[in-house]
Amino acid sequence: MHAVVADTNGDGILGWPIPKTSLGHRRCRTSGSYSVHPGKTDTLVTRIVSLATGRMTRVPRIEAALGDRWIVREEAPEKSPAALFLVSAEGIARPFVSAACDGDLFYLDHGRKLALVACRNGAVRFSHEPERTRVELHGEDSHLPLGVYVQDPRFYTKKVGTGSVVLLWTVTPEEGGADPPDVLVDMEHHGVLYPFPEGARALSAYDRYALYASAEKKLVLRDRSLGVHSVLRPYEHNVHFDQVERFAYSGPELFDLERGVVGRMSLFYTMILTTDGWGLGVPHTSEDKLPARNELWRGPLRWDKPKPEPYYGSRGLW
């Protein structure tokens, strides 16, 4: 938590810091602009609270909590590479990410005390593509370069359910060329990578199964443990998949990515999905009752839970 605990500017009150802007201190401006005065309010301090003991600790330069420990960045000049350290509740600091990486944390696995880190040092730029940063996996006793590069790890990363895999989406090159593959990072086995086939785009994943659109525009279910790829049906471009824990869904179809089965809900449009596979949505309706563009569904709504079964579509089965 961040807090103001002292009147550091001597104005007699505890004031929350105001963010800096590029505006000057002029009092009169044209309509739509305003001025703020950074540096005239009090200094923030950062503290962490143990949920087990209730103990509060002040931690300068903290980056994040990781399980029952926390990660701090070493003190270094502004914009200079800095190392990260993992600190225990007893205050013992261990090296976590070296200054040679100059790491930016973008995914934390608290149960396994592992972090995915984007190294700001060592970024690369391939021909006609945006700059990409190198991804590494760091833990108490593991420091592994994964051999993959992503443009913006915070945006192109997806933790899938409560499973042990993390999905890294890569970036389509700006001009031609083959797309680099999306990959699954297996946190349980310390960074084992499972790349998707060339030209495929990952849609959703859990511990064992993943959905992707193949280069041939087919929707494919992959069994990660067996290496089996099952073609389900043609894939419609830009169809969005939502995911709740082990369930992925799009329209009336519900995919159980733990068991590798598919169910079909008797709903035209699913608005909410629960962690045990119940969907809340709009039943099938006639064309004249569909909402116009930019209008909301009006109901009636109902709950439905499909019975998962092998997929029998109009274009075949698997």
Side-chain angles (χ1 to χ4, degrees):
M1 64 176 65
H2 302 290
V4 175
V5 298
D7 179 19
T8 57
N9 65 352
D11 63 357
I13 62 172
L14 297 181
W16 195 257
I18 299 174
K20 294 183 179 180
T21 76
S22 59
L23 296 176
H25 289 211
R26 290 169 51 195
R27 299 185 58 176
C28 297
R29 296 188 177 275
T30 59
S31 176
S33 65
Y34 61 93
S35 174
V36 296
H37 308 307
K40 293 192 174 183
T41 49
D42 298 312
T43 303
L44 278 180
V45 297
T46 304
R47 293 179 173 177
I48 59 174
V49 180
S50 168
L51 298 180
T53 65
R55 178 185 175 187
M56 181 177 290
T57 306
R58 181 174 178 177
V59 184
R61 302 183 303 280
I62 186 171
E63 292 286 310
L66 185 62
D68 58 353
R69 306 190 177 190
W70 56 90
I71 301 170
V72 298
R73 188 176 295 273
E74 72 173 338
E75 190 171 6
E78 187 176 0
K79 296 184 179 180
S80 297
L84 298 177
F85 292 86
L86 188 64
V87 185
S88 67
E90 295 76 28
I92 300 173
R94 298 180 59 185
F96 192 65
V97 181
S98 71
C101 169
D102 194 23
D104 184 17
L105 304 169
F106 69 89
Y107 174 73
L108 301 173
D109 187 327
H110 294 279
R112 301 174 181 88
K113 293 187 176 64
L114 296 172
L116 288 176
V117 179
C119 293
R120 290 179 288 198
N121 274 354
V124 297
R125 186 185 297 275
F126 301 101
S127 177
H128 307 298
E129 294 183 22
E131 184 177 81
R132 299 182 184 177
T133 53
R134 186 177 74 253
V135 177
E136 296 184 352
L137 176 73
H138 290 268
E140 291 183 278
D141 301 306
S142 58
H143 308 280
L144 303 173
L146 297 182
V148 294
Y149 294 79
V150 292
Q151 180 186 358
D152 186 344
R154 296 183 185 277
F155 182 77
Y156 290 100
T157 303
K158 180 181 181 183
K159 174 66 173 73
V160 282
T162 55
S164 64
V165 294
V166 178
L167 179 59
L168 290 181
W169 284 299
T170 52
V171 183
T172 303
E174 290 180 335
E175 297 180 19
D179 293 353
D182 300 332
V183 296
L184 287 175
V185 182
D186 188 338
M187 306 295 283
E188 180 67 29
H189 297 93
H190 282 214
V192 174
L193 297 181
Y194 296 90
F196 287 84
E198 183 178 349
R201 302 310 292 175
L203 301 172
S204 201
Y206 198 65
D207 278 359
R208 179 171 177 179
Y209 291 93
L211 282 169
Y212 68 88
S214 70
E216 297 76 27
K217 306 303 180 186
K218 303 291 185 181
L219 181 64
V220 182
L221 182 73
R222 183 178 74 172
D223 185 328
R224 180 165 59 94
S225 61
L226 299 179
V228 176
H229 300 250
S230 303
V231 176
L232 305 185
R233 57 170 171 77
Y235 173 72
E236 299 176 11
H237 184 61
N238 288 336
V239 172
H240 178 69
F241 278 80
D242 289 302
Q243 184 168 348
V244 176
E245 299 295 342
R246 73 179 200 262
F247 297 102
Y249 65 102
S250 176
E253 289 180 310
L254 179 70
F255 301 84
D256 186 335
L257 299 179
E258 185 178 80
R259 299 171 57 199
V261 293
V262 182
R264 206 170 174 83
M265 289 181 280
S266 58
L267 299 173
F268 179 77
Y269 173 66
T270 304
M271 302 172 64
I272 296 174
L273 190 71
T274 65
T275 56
D276 56 356
W278 281 90
L280 176 66
V282 181
H284 285 279
T285 185
S286 60
E287 289 291 333
D288 60 343
K289 292 186 178 181
L290 294 178
R293 186 176 182 180
N294 298 327
E295 286 187 352
L296 298 176
W297 289 98
R298 302 180 183 275
L301 304 179
R302 77 176 185 190
W303 288 97
D304 182 46
K305 184 175 184 179
K307 179 181 179 181
E309 57 189 14
Y311 180 80
Y312 294 89
S314 59
R315 303 175 182 84
L317 59 86
W318 61 276

